[in-house]
Amino acid sequence: AAGVIQSPRHLIKEKRETATLKCYPIPRHDTVYWYQQGPGQDPQFLISFYEKMQSDKGSIPDRFSAQQFSDYHSELNMSSLELGDSALYFCASSPTGTEQFFGPGTRLTVL
Amino acid sequence: EDQVTQSPEALRLQEGESSSLNCSYTVSGLRGLFWYRQDPGKGPEFLFTLYSAGEEKEKERLKATLTKKESFLHITAPKPEDSATYLCAVRNTGTASKLTFGTGTRLQVTL
């Protein structure tokens, strides 16, 4: 069965640089979510999109932005990176707000 | 604000030794309680969704139950491959999308 695809899987950046994370949801899933998971912590909700419109917003820094495109893939843009942004970033997708299926994650390391 | 508390934080079992994991929650209006399994460095893997008190779901050696205040994940005769972190999450009726996670129970099953 098709799963959520995330790229890149690993990313190393310097402080104050910019990063773009990509997410390709499971086909026919219309909702995409982004979560951040720090070491030893639970996933924290950042933002979600339904049918290409932002549907919910969590504790996402103003330095971060995201969007969902016409093909339903989503991108999380992170600017002015800080050391504390180092984490696993997960994308999840669901068909019309039911169970969320998570991707393998992008491990971001900020040096 | 939604809150999810999981116990114990860590659990070590011998193969075949059954046990239960607890998830206590506070939510304004429950629109689903979710159990996920997470292996180190990987994305959460969906296990179960429970919607109303009294509901039960089973999958292989796992059984999830739900009351108005808590959920249990029962593990019967576990095997070493069941070793993982088990995450509980809730979604409330006032929020379109986001899941609020507990900090998880780290389960280790030894021979």
Side-chain angles (χ1 to χ4, degrees), chain A residues 6-80:
Chain A
Q6 291 188 248
S7 67
R9 295 294 310 279
H10 302 272
L11 192 58
I12 299 175
K13 291 286 185 179
E14 299 278 344
K15 281 195 308 184
R16 292 180 290 277
E17 285 191 323
T18 298
T20 298
L21 279 54
K22 296 185 178 182
C23 169
Y24 297 86
I26 294 171
R28 292 180 296 283
H29 282 197
D30 52 20
T31 310
V32 168
Y33 316 78
W34 287 96
Y35 290 84
Q36 177 192 60
Q37 187 175 31
Q41 298 180 355
D42 55 291
Q44 294 292 314
F45 173 74
L46 293 177
I47 196 167
S48 62
F49 293 88
Y50 169 69
E51 286 290 345
K52 292 154 279 185
M53 298 286 288
Q54 181 182 309
S55 64
D56 202 0
K57 194 171 182 180
S59 50
I60 182 170
D62 291 340
R63 300 177 289 108
F64 294 7
S65 65
Q67 57 182 325
Q68 187 179 28
F69 294 86
S70 57
D71 64 352
Y72 291 95
H73 95 272
S74 179
E75 294 184 2
L76 178 65
N77 297 293
M78 311 160 69
S79 63
S80 303

Side-chain angles (χ1 to χ4, degrees), chain B residues 1 4-6 8 17 24 28 30 38 49 51 58 60 64 75 77-78 81-83 89 91-92 109-110:
Chain B
E1 185 177 331
V4 180
T5 303
Q6 292 188 246
E17 181 186 1
S24 298
S28 54
L30 186 67
Q38 187 174 29
T49 308
Y51 289 103
E58 283 189 73
E60 296 180 351
I75 303 177
E81 54 262 42
D82 295 322
S83 298
R91 186 172 63 204
N92 73 33
V109 182
T110 59

Side-chain angles (χ1 to χ4, degrees), chain B residues 54-110:
Chain B
E55 190 174 358
E56 299 182 351
K57 288 195 177 171
E58 283 189 73
K59 179 181 179 180
E60 296 180 351
R61 296 179 291 281
L62 301 176
K63 178 180 177 180
T65 62
L66 180 66
T67 72
K68 288 186 178 179
K69 294 183 179 180
E70 57 191 351
S71 177
F72 292 93
L73 184 64
H74 307 278
I75 303 177
T76 303
K79 298 182 177 181
E81 54 262 42
D82 295 322
S83 298
T85 295
Y86 290 85
L87 295 166
C88 172
V90 297
R91 186 172 63 204
N92 73 33
T93 55
T95 302
S97 305
K98 78 167 190 177
L99 295 179
T100 299
F101 283 88
T103 51
T105 293
R106 290 190 313 278
L107 173 66
Q108 183 180 12
V109 182
T110 59

